[in-house]
């Protein structure tokens, strides 16, 4: 695999060791300082993707063990999933298939980063393909369902790599990546491509690429970041950045995919989990992180989302100061209208008096 000799540095891109043809963007003299200024305390001890911080018990790496069997060490798979020497195929390019792969071990890291090497490809052209891949960090595992081959009303985090626009009125450009956090109370609406429960998203052209495609998911101190490397430039491109995300420890990592009337090959080549070395306050350390309910301290309700042509969201809720400004503007508007009306009325009165 082209990227197996690579390491990843946040903000620097993917650097391939011993491969001068793929050097990646190197840092200049001021890069560390700029990173510290931009990322603050989170960037102090961030992983660079080396083996020291790789958590093998939560990682899927070649060479796979158990090729040709129905199970493998540390990972379980079900449905249409097949294990080959080169990839884990969640679904073949056939209709009405569902498959998933799930880590055996619950993850108790508070701060982590997952790098996913994946490939979505098939014979369908234009919009004649679907449906996509979902990456999971959830309480339950190995439960099939209607959400890209896994269960609805889940507890935890989902990242959807959606290739087909079910909502014909959408202005989004597909393929499209979106994020959803759920405490079990929300249902994913396929007919609207998850629009009402989406927290953020971006357009990402990852289908039928003739080079490697990667996605990175980073969670640290309530900040969730999703980045992509899809252009074969060894550079990460920002896709999603959300603060105020609360995820418990003790959940499971997994990936699933589904096809319907349209289909694609959905392949996972590797999933590598890295521990982020981040200091927490004594108060944070005393929290029972396994009891945290998945949530987002988000001022915007997902139903307030408004699409723009780029696939990003604009607009937001009427928070306190926005309500105040809105009321103030409305009051000023009323006063101005009243003054203008009074002046116009007075002028008409004066004009009428001249005719008497």
């Amino acid at each position: 695999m082209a990227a197996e000799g690579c390491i990843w540095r946040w903000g620097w891109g993917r650097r391939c060791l011993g491969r001068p043809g793929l050097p990646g963007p190197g840092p200049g003299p001021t890069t560390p300082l700029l990173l510290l200024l931009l990322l603050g305390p989170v960037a102090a001890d961030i992983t660079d993707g080396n083996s020291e911080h790789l958590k093998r018990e939560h990682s899927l790496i070649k060479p796979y063990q158990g090729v040709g069997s129905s199970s493998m060490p540390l990972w379980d798979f079900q449905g249409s999933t097949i294990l080959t020497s080169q990839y884990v195929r969640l679904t073949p390019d056939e209709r009405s298939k569902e498959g998933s792969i799930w880590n055996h071990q619950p993850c108790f890291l508070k701060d982590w980063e997952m790098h996913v090497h994946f490939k979505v490809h098939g014979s369908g052209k234009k919009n004649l393909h679907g449906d996509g891949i979902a990456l999971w960090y959830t309480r339950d595992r190995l439960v099939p369902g209607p959400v890209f081959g896994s269960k609805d009303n889940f507890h935890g985090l989902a990242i959807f790599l959606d290739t087909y626009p079910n909502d014909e009125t959408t202005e989004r450009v597909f393929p499209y990546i979106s994020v959803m956090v759920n405490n079990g109370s929300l249902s994913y609406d396929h007919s609207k491509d998850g629009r009402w429960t989406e927290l953020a998203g971006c357009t990402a052209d990852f289908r039928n690429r003739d080079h490697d495609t990667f996605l990175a998911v980073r969670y640290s101190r309530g900040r969730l970041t999703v980045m992509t490397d899809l252009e074969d430039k060894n550079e990460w491109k920002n896709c999603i950045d959300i603060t105020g995300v609360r995820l418990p420890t003790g959940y499971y990592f997994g990936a699933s995919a589904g096809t319907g009337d349209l289909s694609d090959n959905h392949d996972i080549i590797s999933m590598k989990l890295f521990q982020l070395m981040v200091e927490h306050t004594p108060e944070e350390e005393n929290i029972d992180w396994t009891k945290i309910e998945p949530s987002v301290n988000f001022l915007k309700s997902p139903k307030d989302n408004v699409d723009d042509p780029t696939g990003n969201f604009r607009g937001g809720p009427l928070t306190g100061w926005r309500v105040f400004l809105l009321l103030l503007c409305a009051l000023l508007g009323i006063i101005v209208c009243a003054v203008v009306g009074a002046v116009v009325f007075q002028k008409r009165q004066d004009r009428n008096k001249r005719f008497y």
Side-chain angles (χ1 to χ4, degrees), residues 86-121:
Q86 298 300 315
Y87 51 79
V88 177
R89 177 153 292 170
L90 301 175
T91 72
D93 189 1
E94 300 174 9
R95 294 181 178 181
S96 303
K97 298 294 184 179
E98 293 180 355
S100 65
I101 184 166
W102 290 88
N103 190 209
H104 274 299
Q105 307 295 326
C107 178
F108 291 97
L109 300 179
K110 301 182 185 72
D111 307 89
W112 48 264
E113 191 168 278
M114 174 70 81
H115 299 176
V116 182
H117 183 186
F118 69 99
K119 188 174 182 65
V120 178
H121 58 108

Side-chain angles (χ1 to χ4, degrees), residues 18 38 53 59 61 68 85 107 149 165 168-169 224 240 259-262 266 292 311 317 330:
L38 290 172
H53 302 292
S59 297
I61 306 173
S85 61
C107 178
E168 296 180 356
T169 65
L224 179 69
I240 295 167
T259 65
D261 291 335
L262 302 175
H266 298 102
I292 292 176

Side-chain angles (χ1 to χ4, degrees), residues 33 37 52 130 167-168 192 197 271 290 296 321 323 333 335 355-356:
L33 177 59
L37 291 175
E52 178 183 356
D167 184 2
E168 296 180 356
K192 294 295 182 181
T197 51
M271 298 176 68
T290 63
V296 181
W321 66 271
V323 172
I335 293 174
F355 292 103
Y356 291 107

Side-chain angles (χ1 to χ4, degrees), residues 24 27 32 57 80 86 89 113 123 146 204 214 261 284 316 329 352:
E57 65 271 27
S80 61
Q86 298 300 315
R89 177 153 292 170
E113 191 168 278
S123 58
F214 300 86
D261 291 335
E284 291 173 330
C329 291
N352 292 335

Side-chain angles (χ1 to χ4, degrees), residues 17 62 67 87 122 138 168 195 277 320:
L17 303 179
K62 292 193 298 184
V67 174
Y87 51 79
T138 56
E168 296 180 356
R195 178 176 177 177
M277 309 308 293

